Amino acid sequence: MIRWLLGPIGLCLAAAQALATDPVTIGVGYLGVAGTRSTLSLVEQPADNDGVAGAKLAIEDNNTTGKFLNQRFTLEERRIKEGEDVVQAATALAEHNGFIVTDLPADALLKVADALRDRGTLLFNAGAIDERLREADCRANVIHSAPTRSMLADALGQYLVWKRWPRWLLVVGSHDEDKLYADALRRAATRFGAKIVQERTFEDTGGARRTDSGVTLIQRQMPVFTQQAPAYDVLVAADESEVFAAYLPYRTWDPRPVAGSAGLVPRSWDAAQDQWGATQMQNRFMKLNSRRMTALDMQAWTAVRMIGEATSRTNSGDVKKVSDFIKGPDFSVAAFKGTKLTLRDWNLQLRQPILLVDGRMVVSVSPQEGFLHQVSELDTLGYDRPESKCKLK
């Protein structure tokens, strides 16, 4: 009996002793670009706190668990204005934060990664979807919570093939990022047995996007642009630059669905996601920010939660210990997507399902049924290990 009583007493004394000491502070930085890019749709204009709002919510979640482990998480935000030195800003953040979540263009992220490599800072890419960051330009100190273009394109391609819509009319914008997305869509078509019956390029000629006569002009322009196409099942648009794709649904010459950059869109997250406990997540985010959660918000939330999960599992705030655990075989993180998310050890890309949304509802979730893989069905999205050219350095 005495031995039975001494056990709980000892645990209470240990807990009290832990609470009496100062908590371990785990600093997380957030580095992004000042300002937001305008979109064609007025209802989809990004908020000023797009991305960082998700990181702040994850800090709260981490601190809920952290108080039991004597850990305290902080978030320091820095936004880069045009002309500012991104490396200098990142170095300043790294003075007090061992982990930095980034929403930067690919070239800027690479500069930061190389500058902070010797400091031991661990970066989490929450914004850039460029394939090269996980392939030829991969870095050992950058973990990617944002999906790649190929993951998004493969998710869409699987669904279109599952629907038996194998004939695609591909319309590509004239900007570089549009062409990169088109490359990913071509790869998906080849990979899953679809056929691109024709490609067309929509040139960005500039000018005002919104005028009093805009609806009338667009109603005339889009049918003419899409007429006389070979027989096709679905029009797939590659328009990351937000120039034309939103004008395509209901305006094509032939009555066909639209997918890609408009219509049915692949995303890591959407405000309509309500499965697997996501409603609770959406409500908490809405309460804090008075707006819906975006894909960038979720990618930043996931990055910060990866840090929180690893620090709790290792009971340490040491950057190297946390980094080694995240990159190891025992790591996983829950993200309201129906399955635990794990890391691809060959390029540090987070495996994750991709939602297919239409602006109001989640239409489907990829990977689709029947697309099998010997390790994880999630590896049917994006570049698999045998395809990868990444050599982490």
Side-chain angles (χ1 to χ4, degrees):
M1 178 65 74
I2 293 174
R3 202 177 305 150
W4 181 80
L5 290 172
L6 287 177
I9 292 172
L11 288 174
C12 291
L13 289 173
Q17 185 177 3
L19 290 173
T21 61
D22 292 334
V24 175
T25 299
I26 300 162
V28 180
Y30 186 95
L31 184 60
V33 178
T36 57
R37 186 174 68 173
S38 179
T39 62
L40 282 179
S41 171
L42 284 175
V43 301
E44 290 189 349
Q45 298 299 308
D48 291 337
N49 65 347
D50 191 21
V52 72
K56 289 179 179 178
L57 179 60
I59 288 289
E60 286 194 6
D61 294 341
N62 287 356
N63 280 325
T64 298
T65 304
K67 66 184 178 182
F68 297 106
L69 300 171
N70 209 28
Q71 296 174 344
R72 184 173 69 90
F73 294 83
T74 62
L75 184 69
E76 182 181 357
E77 180 187 4
R78 180 70 187 274
R79 296 280 184 171
I80 304 299
K81 297 179 181 178
E82 187 175 355
E84 280 193 84
D85 188 338
V86 67
V87 171
Q88 184 179 1
T91 303
L93 270 181
E95 291 290 338
H96 307 288
N97 305 283
F99 309 94
I100 298 179
V101 178
T102 69
D103 175 24
L104 297 171
D107 289 338
L109 177 57
L110 289 173
K111 289 180 181 179
V112 170
D114 292 340
L116 299 183
R117 178 187 300 159
D118 294 337
R119 297 182 65 103
T121 307
L122 186 61
L123 304 175
F124 289 79
N125 167 33
I129 61 175
D130 302 69
E131 213 71 47
R132 66 188 180 98
L133 292 174
R134 291 81 163 172
E135 292 299 314
D137 293 330
C138 64
R139 297 293 189 268
N141 61 336
V142 182
I143 290 171
H144 306 276
S145 61
T148 63
R149 284 189 180 90
S150 65
M151 291 170 66
L152 298 171
D154 286 352
L156 179 64
Q158 284 187 11
Y159 180 75
L160 297 182
V161 169
W162 181 86
K163 281 289 294 177
R164 298 185 181 179
W165 295 342
R167 298 174 301 175
W168 302 356
L169 173 63
L170 179 62
V171 180
V172 185
S174 56
H175 294 268
D176 289 342
E177 59 267 35
D178 305 333
K179 296 173 184 177
L180 290 173
Y181 189 25
D183 288 342
L185 289 166
R186 295 186 194 102
R187 174 182 174 274
T190 301
R191 196 177 191 195
F192 302 123
K195 180 181 180 181
I196 297 175
V197 298
Q198 191 180 74
E199 291 190 25
R200 297 187 177 186
T201 300
F202 191 100
E203 295 290 343
D204 183 4
T205 57
R209 296 186 182 185
R210 300 187 185 95
T211 63
D212 291 341
S213 60
V215 172
T216 302
L217 291 174
I218 294 163
Q219 187 169 327
R220 292 173 180 170
Q221 180 186 16
M222 288 304 168
V224 173
F225 176 75
T226 56
Q227 70 177 335
Q228 295 181 343
Y232 68 98
D233 301 308
V234 56
L235 187 153
V236 181
D239 179 33
E240 285 188 18
S241 53
E242 287 269 351
V243 171
F244 67 92
Y247 295 142
L248 286 169
Y250 309 108
R251 294 188 176 103
T252 56
W253 181 270
D254 298 305
R256 299 291 184 272
V258 174
S261 295
L264 186 66
V265 179
R267 287 179 179 159
S268 66
W269 189 257
D270 189 78
Q273 167 66 348
D274 60 359
Q275 300 182 80
W276 305 301
T279 300
Q280 177 258 0
M281 170 77 154
Q282 302 274 28
N283 290 341
R284 287 193 298 122
F285 186 89
M286 173 67 80
K287 184 177 180 180
L288 285 175
N289 299 285
S290 300
R291 66 172 177 83
R292 299 293 182 183
M293 193 175 197
T294 67
L296 181 57
D297 288 321
M298 187 59 180
Q299 287 155 201
W301 180 90
T302 304
V304 177
R305 279 295 300 125
M306 291 174 73
I307 299 168
E309 180 69 18
T311 55
S312 65
R313 294 284 298 275
T314 59
N315 197 23
S316 171
D318 180 76
V319 176
K320 188 177 187 311
K321 286 184 179 179
V322 170
S323 176
D324 289 345
F325 182 77
I326 292 176
K327 296 175 184 179
D330 297 327
F331 174 78
S332 66
V333 65
F336 306 97
K337 289 188 175 182
T339 185
K340 290 184 177 181
L341 312 187
T342 58
L343 202 67
R344 292 172 177 160
D345 58 7
W346 64 88
N347 63 0
L348 305 186
Q349 170 64 52
L350 189 69
R351 296 180 177 95
Q352 55 190 290
I354 299 297
L355 312 181
L356 302 174
V357 302
D358 66 357
R360 294 182 62 85
M361 298 292 292
V362 176
V363 176
S364 186
V365 181
S366 288
Q368 296 293 315
E369 183 180 359
F371 290 85
L372 306 178
H373 191 275
Q374 64 271 29
V375 176
S376 169
E377 290 181 3
L378 293 174
D379 284 340
T380 63
L381 306 179
Y383 281 73
D384 200 0
R385 185 189 299 273
E387 304 170 283
S388 179
K389 298 177 182 178
C390 173
K391 295 182 179 179
L392 294 170
K393 56 184 178 179

